[in-house]
């Protein structure tokens, strides 16, 4: 089994935009994260499949991206999906999530509960998926 995917680089297109003064570039990322390049603490274990769930509603005066994360994560959403919705690279989303995790505003959940990981996949579920695919 391979290690979790953790993309770290901003897309090349954002680096190009940055040099032309577009607010979508690296300067914007620096401002969003307060100059931090990666998450610390418990957020360092985040990967693209980690599910994020809001624990609180946004409050006035919050950073716009934090508000957007809290709004979008009312239902569980993976870090990868969140990054796609926000149009931000993994590192930036992870730093923003670290802030929210530290404040207790979101909860990070493993996509497969740890107690089930040793048992392997749920065979009944796989059979239902296979049956559904065969009906297509």
């Amino acid at each position: 089994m391979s290690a979790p995917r953790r993309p770290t680089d901003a897309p090349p297109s954002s680096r190009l935009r940055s040099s032309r003064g577009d607010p979508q570039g690296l300067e914007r990322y620096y401002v969003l994260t307060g100059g931090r390049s990666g998450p610390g603490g418990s957020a360092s274990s985040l990967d693209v499949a980690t599910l994020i769930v809001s624990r609180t509603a946004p409050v006035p005066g919050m950073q716009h991206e934090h508000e957007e994360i809290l709004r979008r994560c009312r239902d569980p959403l993976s870090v990868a999906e969140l990054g796609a919705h926000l149009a931000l690279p993994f590192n930036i989303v992870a730093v923003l999530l670290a802030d929210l995790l530290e404040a207790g505003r979101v909860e990070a959940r493993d996509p497969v509960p740890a107690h089930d990981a040793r048992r392997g996949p749920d065979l009944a579920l796989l059979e239902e998926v296979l049956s559904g695919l065969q009906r297509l």
Side-chain angles (χ1 to χ4, degrees):
M1 191 156 135
S2 63
R5 281 190 48 218
R6 294 184 55 142
T8 56
D9 292 333
S13 61
S14 68
R15 283 188 233 123
L16 293 174
R17 286 190 304 252
S18 166
S19 65
R20 292 185 285 233
D22 189 339
Q24 298 296 318
L26 295 178
E27 294 88 1
R28 175 175 176 250
Y29 299 156
Y30 183 86
V31 171
L32 289 177
T33 63
R36 295 170 290 164
S37 61
S42 63
S44 62
S45 64
L46 292 174
D47 67 35
V48 294
T50 301
L51 298 175
I52 305 297
V53 182
S54 299
R55 288 182 153 181
T56 63
V59 295
M62 287 184 92
Q63 182 176 337
H64 172 72
E65 287 74 16
H66 286 152
E67 289 179 9
E68 193 64 25
I69 289 170
L70 292 176
R71 273 195 283 283
R72 290 185 181 273
C73 292
R74 288 183 186 130
D75 293 321
L77 196 63
S78 74
V79 175
E81 291 172 304
L82 195 53
H85 287 298
L86 299 173
L88 293 171
F90 175 82
N91 277 17
I92 306 305
V93 173
V95 170
L96 295 171
L97 288 171
D99 296 339
L100 294 170
L101 283 165
E102 186 177 309
R105 296 191 174 278
V106 296
E107 178 182 342
R109 299 179 182 170
D110 289 329
V112 176
H115 66 277
D116 290 341
R118 292 187 189 133
R119 287 194 336 215
D122 181 0
L123 293 179
L125 176 62
L126 291 176
E127 287 173 357
E128 286 180 44
V129 170
L130 181 61
S131 174
L133 289 172
Q134 289 172 340
R135 285 191 299 253
L136 293 176

